[in-house]
Amino acid sequence: MSAHVDPRLLRAFVTVAEELHFTRAAARLYVAQQALSRDVRRLERELGGELFVRTTRHVTLTADGERLLPYARAVLQAQDDLLAAAGRARPLLVDLNSPGLITPRLVLHRARELAPGHELMARYESGLTWAAGEVLAGRLDASFGRFAGLAPALRSGLEHRPVRYEPMAVVLPEDHPLAARPEVPLAALAGETVYAGAGNPRTPEWTDLARALFEGRGIALAPPAPLAVGDEEFQRIMRRTRHPILAVVDFPPLPATVLRPLVDPVPLSPVSLVWRKGMLHPGLDALRRAAALVAAEEGWLRRPEGAWIPKLDIVAMAAH
């Protein structure tokens, strides 16, 4: 066995071990599948044993592969930490949830100003639950959303910094009876069926928040709808169902709709910056500083008197 193992080969091994699929792993690493297979074979030769069982349908880890995986991850993390300390960090991958949302975008822009020598790249994963799994798997570095709404198994591997209590709103068809109002009292939604992402595996934390808000107010949660990808599909589904959509006040505009703040009381959506525990990266340091600066400048962490927010979220946001 060689006394020196190329970290590139270890990264190839870890990526295949996480995906259990050579094509997806190659796409993650931006390399050809044949090159990735060669790197894995070379590592197997250097270590003197097979790391994967390959069939035409499945890729699984061997016992040797299972034993190697935690050590390979530790080596790669140490390499990332060393490069970060030397100012040569890899790009930081930051999930902004959806294009057009202002809160995460402002934080990312400020972080880029604070760390002009580092690359902070935006991603769009459309929901913190999905993004949190990607962060824990090392495919993303940070995301934004409702930390208290994550499952305990996800929260245990993550850290967070509160960023904003974002007032909630409702998106209405422009000819809806409530569209003429400048604000929509929650009581005016009684008898309505409101869409809040039910059935979307990427956003259960948002659906859970909606369910708590609607409880006891006569507001029905819209049943699962086909997952719409892109504005055009989203608008088509909305035209068909005509359900109001629960949103936030900075939700990007959609044709033939109006966005109205919810009041009496003002419901709040708690937003945190979320990252993997123990992660070291100068871009992440800048992102955390940016979150604190922008939140202070914008007054994002002040709760309006009488605003609605679940106690679970108050505890989570105060526990930082």
Side-chain angles (χ1 to χ4, degrees):
M1 182 178 73
S2 172
H4 303 284
V5 176
D6 186 342
R8 178 174 59 85
L9 305 184
L10 291 178
R11 198 170 295 279
F13 161 68
V14 169
T15 307
V16 175
E18 290 173 347
E19 295 291 344
L20 294 178
H21 194 285
F22 275 80
T23 301
R24 290 197 298 267
R28 268 182 60 186
L29 294 171
Y30 299 100
V31 299
Q33 183 177 337
Q34 295 86 343
L36 178 63
S37 297
R38 283 196 301 269
D39 283 346
V40 171
R41 289 291 191 193
R42 179 181 160 193
L43 181 62
E44 289 176 324
R45 286 196 302 272
E46 292 190 6
L47 297 179
E50 288 192 345
L51 301 174
F52 296 102
V53 176
R54 306 160 176 84
T55 70
T56 55
R57 294 183 174 222
H58 300 289
V59 176
T60 57
L61 281 163
T62 64
D64 285 343
E66 292 278 7
R67 283 192 293 270
L68 177 64
L69 185 57
Y71 296 102
R73 282 176 168 150
V75 169
L76 294 175
Q77 184 63 59
Q79 183 191 40
D80 287 346
D81 295 346
L82 176 63
L83 293 175
R88 294 174 50 213
R90 59 174 175 78
L92 190 80
L93 303 181
V94 184
D95 169 47
L96 304 187
N97 192 283
S98 297
L101 292 181
I102 290 176
T103 300
R105 193 169 78 242
L106 287 181
V107 173
L108 177 61
H109 286 179
R110 178 62 63 85
R112 285 171 172 163
E113 294 173 358
L114 294 173
H118 298 284
E119 184 66 73
L120 285 75
M121 300 186 68
R123 295 289 187 268
Y124 301 96
E125 294 294 334
S126 299
L128 182 59
T129 293
W130 182 271
E134 297 293 282
V135 169
L136 290 174
R139 292 186 285 267
L140 279 176
D141 295 311
S143 186
F144 293 83
R146 183 188 171 221
F147 184 76
L150 295 176
L154 291 175
R155 289 201 308 269
S156 65
L158 300 169
E159 296 184 72
H160 80 114
R161 176 186 290 279
V163 175
R164 186 178 186 183
Y165 291 105
E166 189 163 13
M168 297 167 75
V170 65
V171 178
L172 300 163
E174 60 187 359
D175 59 350
H176 191 281
L178 296 176
R181 302 191 183 201
E183 300 173 327
V184 174
L186 278 170
L189 288 176
E192 294 279 354
T193 298
V194 179
Y195 179 72
N200 184 347
R202 292 174 175 259
T203 61
E205 75 284 348
W206 177 253
T207 305
D208 176 70
L209 184 66
R211 189 176 288 110
L213 177 63
F214 297 167
E215 186 177 4
R217 289 189 165 92
I219 306 170
L221 182 67
L227 182 60
V229 178
D231 288 352
E232 185 175 340
E233 281 297 283
F234 191 83
Q235 293 161 33
R236 185 180 66 82
I237 294 295
M238 185 176 180
R239 285 195 300 270
R240 184 172 61 79
T241 65
R242 294 193 55 78
H243 291 319
I245 300 168
L246 189 67
V248 292
V249 291
D250 288 334
F251 194 78
L254 294 173
T257 69
V258 297
L259 180 72
R260 296 292 182 256
L262 291 171
V263 294
D264 300 331
V266 173
L268 301 176
S269 169
V271 180
S272 287
L273 168 65
V274 180
W275 67 92
R276 190 168 55 257
K277 276 186 178 177
M279 183 181 171
L280 298 175
H281 191 292
L284 179 61
D285 295 340
L287 200 63
R288 291 198 297 251
R289 293 201 311 274
L293 288 171
V294 176
E297 292 165 3
E298 301 290 338
W300 279 350
L301 291 174
R302 291 196 297 267
R303 297 202 306 269
E305 185 175 354
W308 176 92
I309 185 172
K311 290 182 179 179
L312 177 69
D313 292 273
I314 294 175
V315 171
M317 296 286 273
H320 177 265

